[in-house]
DNA sequence: TTAGGGTTAGAG
DNA sequence: CTCTAACCCTAA
């Protein structure tokens, strides 16, 4: 862009490319074509443009944009990482140098060699505003010197008062300049001069009337005949009654002479059949692709993404694509669809989207170029079953029957096509999806990049991911159960996506453009000013009231505020780092433990085997190790503690171990704690305790607790737990140890409050357990004796005098305790007072 | 919540 | 070992 050789025209190209590259939904192949078509040599692309394109290529390479994770367990050789300070271009180059990349696809093994996700996520987050966005902001604020002229050039913004839909009427219908609707505050930027280029614009909150799509939004380079031909689409659009607001509307017009165009003016339509509901839904997503070749062929593709559509059951998702025209490549929609499909698994999002202000998106592509499209229609319904209805020759029609509770997936394609492969694959995958009702992939293995569309639904390994999206961050702890670390990579990407959706939806809700928030300092939640927290993450526009956060604001050590999105993203990064360390340490620990059990404790081994517990324990150990991620790293907490203790070469009191574990656990990430405590009490709790303490016992205390006769098969306790190693007394010891330690630390100060803080929940649980099988043979632990001070005695006497009524024999010890609470040590109870008074009375018979 | 009998740790 | 203060348990 800074290239002095750039003409105004080439500048547009640069801007366009740069801007388009921001959209993950846009296939890099389109960027490639754009760059080819641009009157700018690729080496003269501006730095930011190159960077953005490189980033997009990286995302494509590693399947970030299309939601395909590196779903191979990341075991084995360590991955290559990238320095965040490096550029995407450099990273891309180094990758390309060392891998067998073909069509922006890498082999799985190649993918596994790189730990690129954090890098990509970082780069994506740090990417500065592109030139077009800056220009747009300036125009919308009127700060640009030519703002007025540009605004006029763009056209008049209409708002449909009736339904709030906004349309844009261009005064330049003959201009090739593409345009997108705009909202009242955010005039869109168009090419500053007549050009065959159109500028893609993001519509953060535009609502496009169904019909207005045709009149105003359809690419201008359409001839009338084609308009006639697209009636089906038109009707459809009219029926659908518009597009949900908050949509992202991307209009791309591509112009490229193409002699390869098939001279076929017949439009092929791909219409998803979804019954009336589809038509009525107002929160669809619409992606339209129009192509027009110089050979007069015009193609139009429409992809409707009626995401989050509420059907009869109120929880259905609908994602549909529609394509008109021949095509032989996967185009804009694949990644986009993918995102939608992923979202489709998200009931929560569905609801928000259904509300009309969700992050639905529109992509409008007017392409005068040999088109490359993918046609995928997906409708997903709650109970996740799919049926394929038919496939008709070249008109591969894949349509799911709409039965009452089925996930509905439909693709329909009309016209000659190189897309047979697409549909074939798609349908194939649909069949798979019908099998597990869970995942749908469209893999186009033919020319051009393949695209995967996956729907994470509600079963199998992907359930967690889906649940995650369902519940957002609240489900973090459940997400942690995913053993696949790559989920987190994806999650980070999703955070960015979710954030964008959030901002988009907030724009719609509040009729505010993003610039209002960031630059006028308005809260993204309530759009009001006041004392606002500004996210310190690079490039994050989020500004919010502390009160609007819904939780306590998060600051880093330097006191910088981070919005929930960035905070979450950072947390994921940290988690990944920690997880790596944990993994390494776990392996070491495992080796360590294994070695020890081989070389020693044969005696204990035998003892344990008598009870059959050893197997359980070692099983627990192993399980803890293997399932480390399944309990949010909890097992590692345990083991790490053990390792620490071993490292200290200190004899470990088993009870203390358990106690410590809990204390540690309490300091853990609340999510993890939640994961542990959020199981149903009772059985689950017992499982946990048994598991945790068996694990400890197995490692640390074989000759201690397990020698305890209480923990054998004859002990009735067994029925309550699988030879729970800690009997009541031991549980008491836990408490006692902790308390006494604390007590001595505090110079004889027994602090009930401290007790409560100190005594782990485990102890509490043990106590609760005790009651279930309390045996007189098991003496309860006693509190440490705390002698009365003279002040206490005085206060006691005073209290007794004050509160004891002559007529009543009973002395209100409770009142006295409260009365003298400032003097009585915190551990004192009414019973203590009573006993002490008794002692006092013993010494001086005059007191009754 | 209180009273009263019983138990126990620790000082002498 | 005895004594006693402090603590525990249970019934009301």
């Amino acid at each position: 862009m800074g290239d002095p050789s750039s003409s105004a025209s080439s500048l547009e190209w640069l801007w366009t490319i740069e801007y388009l590259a921001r959209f993950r939904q846009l296939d890099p192949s389109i960027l490639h074509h754009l760059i080819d078509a641009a009157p700018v040599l690729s080496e003269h692309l501006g730095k930011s443009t190159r960077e953005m394109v490189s980033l997009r290529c990286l995302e494509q390479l590693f399947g970030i944009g299309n939601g395909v994770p590196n779903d191979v367990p990341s075991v084995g050789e360590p991955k290559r990482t990238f320095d965040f300070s490096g550029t995407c271009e450099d990273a891309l180059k180094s990758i390309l140098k060392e891998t067998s990349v073909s069509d922006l696809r890498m082999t799985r093994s190649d993918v596994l060699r790189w730990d690129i996700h954090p890098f990509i996520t970082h780069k994506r987050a740090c990417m500065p505003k592109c030139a077009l966005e800056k220009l747009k902001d300036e125009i919308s604020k009127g700060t640009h010197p030519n703002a007025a002229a540009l605004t006029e050039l763009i056209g008049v913004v209409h708002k449909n008062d009736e339904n709030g839909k906004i349309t844009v009427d261009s005064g330049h219908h003959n201009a090739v300049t593409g345009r997108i609707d705009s909202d009242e505050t955010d005039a869109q930027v168009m090419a500053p001069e007549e050009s065959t280029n159109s500028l893609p614009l993001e519509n953060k909150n535009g609502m496009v009337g169904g019909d207005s799509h045709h009149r105003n939004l359809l690419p201008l380079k359409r001839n009338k005949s084609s308009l006639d031909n697209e009636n089906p689409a038109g009707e459809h659009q009219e029926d659908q009654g518009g597009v949900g607001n908050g949509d992202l509307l991307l209009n791309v017009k591509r112009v490229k002479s193409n002699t390869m165009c098939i001279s076929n003016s017949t439009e092929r339509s791909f219409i998803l059949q979804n019954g009336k509901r589809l038509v009525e839904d107002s929160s669809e997503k619409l992606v339209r692709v129009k192509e027009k070749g110089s050979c007069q062929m015009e193609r139009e593709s429409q992809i409707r993404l009626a995401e989050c559509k509420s059907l009869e059951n109120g929880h259905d998702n609908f994602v549909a694509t529609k394509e008109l025209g021949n095509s032989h490549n996967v185009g804009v929609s694949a990644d986009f669809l993918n995102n939608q499909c992923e979202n489709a698994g998200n009931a929560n999002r569905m609801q928000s989207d259904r509300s009309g202000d969700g992050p639905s998106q529109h992509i409008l592509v007017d392409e005068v170029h040999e088109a490359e499209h993918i046609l995928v229609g997906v409708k997903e319904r709650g109970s996740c079953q799919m049926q394929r209805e038919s496939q008709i020759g070249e008109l591969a029609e894949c349509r799911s029957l709409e039965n009452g509770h089925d996930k509905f997936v439909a693709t329909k394609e009309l016209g000659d096509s190189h897309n047979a492969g697409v549909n074939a694959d798609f349908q194939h995958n649909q069949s798979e999806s019908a099998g597990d009702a869970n995942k749908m992939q469209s893999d186009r293995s033919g020319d051009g990049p393949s695209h995967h569309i996956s729907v994470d639904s509600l079963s199998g390994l992907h359930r967690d991911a889906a649940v995650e999206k369902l519940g957002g961050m609240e489900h973090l702890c459940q997400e942690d159960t995913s053993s696949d670390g790559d989920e987190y990579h994806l999650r980070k990407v999703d955070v960015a996506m979710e954030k964008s959706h959030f901002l988009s939806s907030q724009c719609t809700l509040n009729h505010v453009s993003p610039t209002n928030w960031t630059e006028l300092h308005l809260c993204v939640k309530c759009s009001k000013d006041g004392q606002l927290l500004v996210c310190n993450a690079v490039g994050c526009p989020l500004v919010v009231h502390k009160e609007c956060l819904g939780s306590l604001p998060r600051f880093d050590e330097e006191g910088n505020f981070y919005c929930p999105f960035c905070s979450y993203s950072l947390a994921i990064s940290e988690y990944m780092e920690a997880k790596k360390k944990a993994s390494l340490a776990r392996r070491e620990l495992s080796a360590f433990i294994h070695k020890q059990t081989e070389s020693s404790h044969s005696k204990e081994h035998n003892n344990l085997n008598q009870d059959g517990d050893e197997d359980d324990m070692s099983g627990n150990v192993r399980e803890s190790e293997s399932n480390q991620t399944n309990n949010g790293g909890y097992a590692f907490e345990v083991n790490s503690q053990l390792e620490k203790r071993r490292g200290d070469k200190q004899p470990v009191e088993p009870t203390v171990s358990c106690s410590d574990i809990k204390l540690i656990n309490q300091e853990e990430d609340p999510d993890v704690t939640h994961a542990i405590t959020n199981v149903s009490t009772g059985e689950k709790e017992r499982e946990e305790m048994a598991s945790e303490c068996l694990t400890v016992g197995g490692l640390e205390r074989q000759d201690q607790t397990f020698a305890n006769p209480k923990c054998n098969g004859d002990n009735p306790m067994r029925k309550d737990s699988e030879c729970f190693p800690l009997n009541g007394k031991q549980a008491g010891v836990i408490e006692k140890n902790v308390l006494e330690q604390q007590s001595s630390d505090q110079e004889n100060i027994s602090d009930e409050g401290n007790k409560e803080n100190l005594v782990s929940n485990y102890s509490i649980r043990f106590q609760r357990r005790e009651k279930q099988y309390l045996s007189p043979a098991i003496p309860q632990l006693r509190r440490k004796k705390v002698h009365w001070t003279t002040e206490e005695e005085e206060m006691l006497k005073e209290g007794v005098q004050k509160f004891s009524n002559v007529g009543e024999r009973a002395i209100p010890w409770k009142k006295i305790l409260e009365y003298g609470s400032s003097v009585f040590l915190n551990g004192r109870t009414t019973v203590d007072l009573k006993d002490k008074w008794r002692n006092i009375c013993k010494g001086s018979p005059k007191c009754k």
Side-chain angles (χ1 to χ4, degrees), chain A residues 27 29 60-61 100-106 445-450:
Chain A
D27 192 282
S29 65
Q60 174 69 18
L61 274 173
S100 52
V101 173
S102 165
D103 286 338
L104 285 180
R105 300 294 299 179
M106 289 204 296
S445 53
D447 49 350
S450 303

Side-chain angles (χ1 to χ4, degrees), chain A residues 161-228:
Chain A
D161 289 332
E162 190 177 6
N163 54 12
K165 293 171 184 170
I166 298 166
T167 61
V168 175
D169 194 9
S170 170
H172 302 269
H173 281 260
N174 293 327
V176 190
T177 304
R179 79 210 145 274
I180 300 293
D181 66 333
S182 157
D183 62 78
E184 54 266 77
T185 61
D186 199 8
Q188 301 292 328
V189 183
M190 290 298 116
E193 64 183 32
E194 184 169 325
S195 155
T196 55
N197 304 338
S198 71
L199 300 180
L201 294 167
E202 182 175 343
N203 174 20
K204 295 279 187 191
N205 63 346
M207 301 172 70
V208 182
D211 206 24
S212 65
H213 284 301
H214 274 255
R215 301 205 184 104
N216 302 318
L217 293 174
L218 280 181
L220 299 176
K221 277 199 160 188
R222 297 170 58 195
N223 57 31
K224 286 194 172 181
S225 63
S226 71
L227 280 174
D228 294 336

